[in-house]
Amino acid sequence: MKLLKAGPSPFVRKVLVTLHETDQIGDVDMVDVTASPVAPDPALIAANPVGKIPALVRPDGPALYDSRVICRFLDHRAQSGLYPDSRIWDTLTLEATADGIMDAAVLIIYEERFRPREQVSMDWIEGQWGKVARALDALETRWLSHLAGPLDMGQIAVACALGYLDFRHDARKWRTGRDGLARWHEAFCTRPSMVATDPMA
């Protein structure tokens, strides 16, 4: 299999962490592509018509894309239990919350990087950060008990989302007022899978 990836994408990192946690990292060749929202790599478009990373090219079927699809496939392939039946809806909702943080955080970067400076909308940027802040508050007030439980995909996704905030939006100081979430993230980041995929390493 081949994983099409680019830069420090938190969605790619989520897949990489999953590969490490399920002992499948050696089964996948890494292929770097260009993932610009205005000029995506032809190789990426061939795998994913939407032109987004990551995409997983399989020898025995069509390429898979969207990190949630890829991670669910990898979990099924390894029978690793990262989507446990006993708490599947909580796990999926937590993963979706984390992905929402990633989406908004990446869109802020795109707004600043790909629009002419005079066209950048600070109102739009703050609107995106509002999504991030509300999701972080929800993690702090509603999800700490789940995050403290057995490893699942919700936890992996949240850790990757928070890691991306550290990497791209450190000035926002997401930890302020969220001590429980900050402590959980610090501990989770000691996992070998997180150390191996740290974009700041």
Side-chain angles (χ1 to χ4, degrees):
M1 297 184 291
K2 296 180 180 179
L3 182 69
L4 306 188
K5 65 183 188 68
S9 162
F11 298 103
V12 169
R13 188 182 188 192
K14 187 172 74 163
V15 173
L16 293 175
V17 170
T18 301
L19 285 167
H20 280 281
E21 291 286 353
T22 60
D23 198 26
Q24 297 180 88
I25 193 71
D27 297 342
V28 179
D29 294 327
M30 305 298 162
V31 180
D32 289 313
V33 295
T34 302
S36 164
V38 295
D41 195 310
L44 178 58
I45 293 175
N48 178 3
V50 179
K52 290 184 176 182
I53 51 172
L56 184 68
V57 179
R58 301 178 295 164
D60 56 351
L64 302 178
Y65 45 87
D66 189 285
S67 64
R68 275 179 274 190
V69 175
I70 296 171
C71 289
R72 193 72 182 263
F73 167 78
L74 293 172
D75 175 69
H76 177 76
R77 183 175 186 263
Q79 295 294 296
S80 54
L82 293 176
Y83 292 91
D85 289 340
S86 62
R87 58 185 191 280
I88 187 61
W89 302 117
D90 288 350
T91 299
L92 290 173
T93 300
L94 190 56
E95 184 182 12
T97 302
D99 282 4
I101 292 172
M102 296 181 203
D103 277 328
V106 168
L107 286 174
I108 291 172
I109 297 300
Y110 282 176
E111 178 75 5
E112 296 171 337
R113 183 173 295 171
F114 292 103
R115 280 190 185 275
R117 183 171 297 276
E118 65 276 9
Q119 294 180 16
V120 171
S121 170
M122 294 308 299
D123 287 342
W124 194 88
I125 287 175
E126 290 308 312
Q128 296 302 314
W129 185 256
K131 298 176 186 179
V132 173
R134 291 191 298 272
L136 292 172
D137 289 342
L139 294 174
E140 176 73 19
T141 59
R142 304 177 200 170
W143 290 102
L144 287 183
S145 61
H146 185 111
L147 290 173
L151 179 68
D152 65 17
M153 186 51 60
Q155 295 172 18
I156 291 172
V158 168
C160 291
L162 299 180
Y164 187 74
L165 297 184
D166 284 338
F167 184 69
R168 291 297 195 200
H169 300 285
D170 184 56
R172 296 277 187 169
K173 306 298 181 187
W174 68 263
R175 291 172 177 78
T176 303
R178 304 180 184 101
D179 294 343
L181 187 60
R183 286 192 297 271
W184 173 83
H185 186 242
E186 181 180 9
F188 196 90
C189 283
T190 64
R191 297 183 72 88
S193 62
M194 293 294 290
V195 174
T197 59
D198 185 352
M200 295 185 287

